[in-house]
mmCIF file of all heavy atoms in Angstrom:
data_model
loop_
_atom_site.group_PDB
_atom_site.id
_atom_site.type_symbol
_atom_site.label_atom_id
_atom_site.label_comp_id
_atom_site.label_asym_id
_atom_site.label_seq_id
_atom_site.Cartn_x
_atom_site.Cartn_y
_atom_site.Cartn_z
ATOM 1 N N ALA A 54 145.596 79.911 56.494
ATOM 2 C CA ALA A 54 146.808 79.996 55.675
ATOM 3 C C ALA A 54 147.145 81.450 55.390
ATOM 4 O O ALA A 54 148.316 81.859 55.450
ATOM 5 C CB ALA A 54 146.614 79.222 54.371
ATOM 6 N N GLY A 55 146.131 82.246 55.089
ATOM 7 C CA GLY A 55 146.343 83.664 54.842
ATOM 8 C C GLY A 55 146.827 84.396 56.075
ATOM 9 O O GLY A 55 147.725 85.255 56.006
ATOM 10 N N GLN A 56 146.261 84.064 57.221
ATOM 11 C CA GLN A 56 146.693 84.686 58.468
ATOM 12 C C GLN A 56 148.139 84.316 58.798
ATOM 13 O O GLN A 56 148.926 85.160 59.226
ATOM 14 C CB GLN A 56 145.768 84.278 59.613
ATOM 15 C CG GLN A 56 144.368 84.867 59.521
ATOM 16 C CD GLN A 56 143.517 84.505 60.726
ATOM 17 O OE1 GLN A 56 143.891 83.683 61.550
ATOM 18 N NE2 GLN A 56 142.346 85.123 60.813
ATOM 19 N N MET A 57 148.483 83.053 58.578
ATOM 20 C CA MET A 57 149.850 82.611 58.870
ATOM 21 C C MET A 57 150.858 83.300 57.959
ATOM 22 O O MET A 57 151.979 83.614 58.379
ATOM 23 C CB MET A 57 149.965 81.092 58.716
ATOM 24 C CG MET A 57 149.513 80.298 59.930
ATOM 25 S SD MET A 57 150.533 80.591 61.402
ATOM 26 C CE MET A 57 152.088 79.848 60.897
ATOM 27 N N ALA A 58 150.467 83.554 56.711
ATOM 28 C CA ALA A 58 151.379 84.200 55.769
ATOM 29 C C ALA A 58 151.764 85.593 56.250
ATOM 30 O O ALA A 58 152.875 86.066 55.986
ATOM 31 C CB ALA A 58 150.732 84.276 54.386
ATOM 32 N N ILE A 59 150.864 86.252 56.960
ATOM 33 C CA ILE A 59 151.115 87.616 57.427
ATOM 34 C C ILE A 59 151.597 87.657 58.874
ATOM 35 O O ILE A 59 152.498 88.426 59.224
ATOM 36 C CB ILE A 59 149.844 88.478 57.291
ATOM 37 C CG1 ILE A 59 149.297 88.415 55.860
ATOM 38 C CG2 ILE A 59 150.102 89.913 57.720
ATOM 39 C CD1 ILE A 59 150.255 88.929 54.804
ATOM 40 N N LEU A 60 150.997 86.826 59.718
ATOM 41 C CA LEU A 60 151.243 86.922 61.161
ATOM 42 C C LEU A 60 151.965 85.712 61.752
ATOM 43 O O LEU A 60 152.054 85.571 62.968
ATOM 44 C CB LEU A 60 149.909 87.110 61.894
ATOM 45 C CG LEU A 60 149.127 88.382 61.560
ATOM 46 C CD1 LEU A 60 147.746 88.337 62.208
ATOM 47 C CD2 LEU A 60 149.895 89.617 62.018
ATOM 48 N N GLY A 61 152.494 84.861 60.898
ATOM 49 C CA GLY A 61 153.108 83.629 61.375
ATOM 50 C C GLY A 61 154.235 83.839 62.372
ATOM 51 O O GLY A 61 154.456 83.002 63.256
ATOM 52 N N LYS A 62 154.961 84.957 62.249
ATOM 53 C CA LYS A 62 156.091 85.219 63.144
ATOM 54 C C LYS A 62 155.745 86.208 64.252
ATOM 55 O O LYS A 62 156.626 86.661 64.990
ATOM 56 C CB LYS A 62 157.276 85.742 62.329
ATOM 57 C CG LYS A 62 157.825 84.712 61.347
ATOM 58 C CD LYS A 62 159.034 85.238 60.595
ATOM 59 C CE LYS A 62 159.582 84.200 59.634
ATOM 60 N NZ LYS A 62 160.772 84.706 58.899
ATOM 61 N N SER A 63 154.465 86.527 64.372
ATOM 62 C CA SER A 63 154.030 87.469 65.407
ATOM 63 C C SER A 63 153.699 86.716 66.698
ATOM 64 O O SER A 63 153.803 85.484 66.765
ATOM 65 C CB SER A 63 152.794 88.234 64.933
ATOM 66 O OG SER A 63 151.661 87.387 64.939
ATOM 67 N N SER A 64 153.239 87.457 67.698
ATOM 68 C CA SER A 64 152.913 86.841 68.990
ATOM 69 C C SER A 64 151.732 85.887 68.892
ATOM 70 O O SER A 64 151.588 84.975 69.725
ATOM 71 C CB SER A 64 152.606 87.936 70.023
ATOM 72 O OG SER A 64 151.491 88.719 69.607
ATOM 73 N N VAL A 65 150.870 86.071 67.892
ATOM 74 C CA VAL A 65 149.718 85.165 67.739
ATOM 75 C C VAL A 65 150.006 84.049 66.744
ATOM 76 O O VAL A 65 149.132 83.226 66.470
ATOM 77 C CB VAL A 65 148.447 85.944 67.309
ATOM 78 C CG1 VAL A 65 147.997 86.891 68.406
ATOM 79 C CG2 VAL A 65 148.657 86.680 65.992
ATOM 80 N N GLY A 66 151.223 84.002 66.222
ATOM 81 C CA GLY A 66 151.585 82.959 65.268
ATOM 82 C C GLY A 66 151.343 81.543 65.780
ATOM 83 O O GLY A 66 150.728 80.730 65.081
ATOM 84 N N PRO A 67 151.791 81.212 66.997
ATOM 85 C CA PRO A 67 151.557 79.851 67.498
ATOM 86 C C PRO A 67 150.077 79.509 67.635
ATOM 87 O O PRO A 67 149.666 78.378 67.357
ATOM 88 C CB PRO A 67 152.246 79.868 68.867
ATOM 89 C CG PRO A 67 153.306 80.917 68.737
ATOM 90 C CD PRO A 67 152.700 81.976 67.882
ATOM 91 N N LEU A 68 149.266 80.483 68.037
ATOM 92 C CA LEU A 68 147.820 80.238 68.152
ATOM 93 C C LEU A 68 147.216 79.983 66.781
ATOM 94 O O LEU A 68 146.434 79.030 66.611
ATOM 95 C CB LEU A 68 147.135 81.440 68.803
ATOM 96 C CG LEU A 68 145.602 81.396 68.821
ATOM 97 C CD1 LEU A 68 145.100 80.220 69.662
ATOM 98 C CD2 LEU A 68 145.034 82.721 69.341
ATOM 99 N N ILE A 69 147.559 80.808 65.813
ATOM 100 C CA ILE A 69 147.027 80.620 64.455
ATOM 101 C C ILE A 69 147.463 79.271 63.904
ATOM 102 O O ILE A 69 146.673 78.554 63.282
ATOM 103 C CB ILE A 69 147.493 81.766 63.538
ATOM 104 C CG1 ILE A 69 146.864 83.089 63.984
ATOM 105 C CG2 ILE A 69 147.122 81.470 62.087
ATOM 106 C CD1 ILE A 69 147.398 84.307 63.255
ATOM 107 N N LYS A 70 148.719 78.897 64.139
ATOM 108 C CA LYS A 70 149.223 77.598 63.662
ATOM 109 C C LYS A 70 148.426 76.449 64.264
ATOM 110 O O LYS A 70 148.058 75.488 63.570
ATOM 111 C CB LYS A 70 150.704 77.457 64.009
ATOM 112 C CG LYS A 70 151.348 76.177 63.489
ATOM 113 C CD LYS A 70 152.841 76.176 63.780
ATOM 114 C CE LYS A 70 153.519 74.931 63.204
ATOM 115 N NZ LYS A 70 153.105 73.708 63.929
ATOM 116 N N HIS A 71 148.150 76.537 65.574
ATOM 117 C CA HIS A 71 147.376 75.485 66.244
ATOM 118 C C HIS A 71 145.972 75.374 65.645
ATOM 119 O O HIS A 71 145.500 74.262 65.337
ATOM 120 C CB HIS A 71 147.288 75.790 67.739
ATOM 121 C CG HIS A 71 146.299 74.930 68.473
ATOM 122 N ND1 HIS A 71 146.483 73.579 68.683
ATOM 123 C CD2 HIS A 71 145.085 75.238 69.036
ATOM 124 C CE1 HIS A 71 145.455 73.083 69.343
ATOM 125 N NE2 HIS A 71 144.595 74.059 69.564
#
Side-chain angles (χ1 to χ4, degrees):
Q56 291 184 351
M57 277 296 292
I59 307 299
L60 298 172
K62 295 182 179 180
S63 73
S64 61
V65 294
L68 172 63
I69 293 173
K70 183 175 183 291
H71 169 69

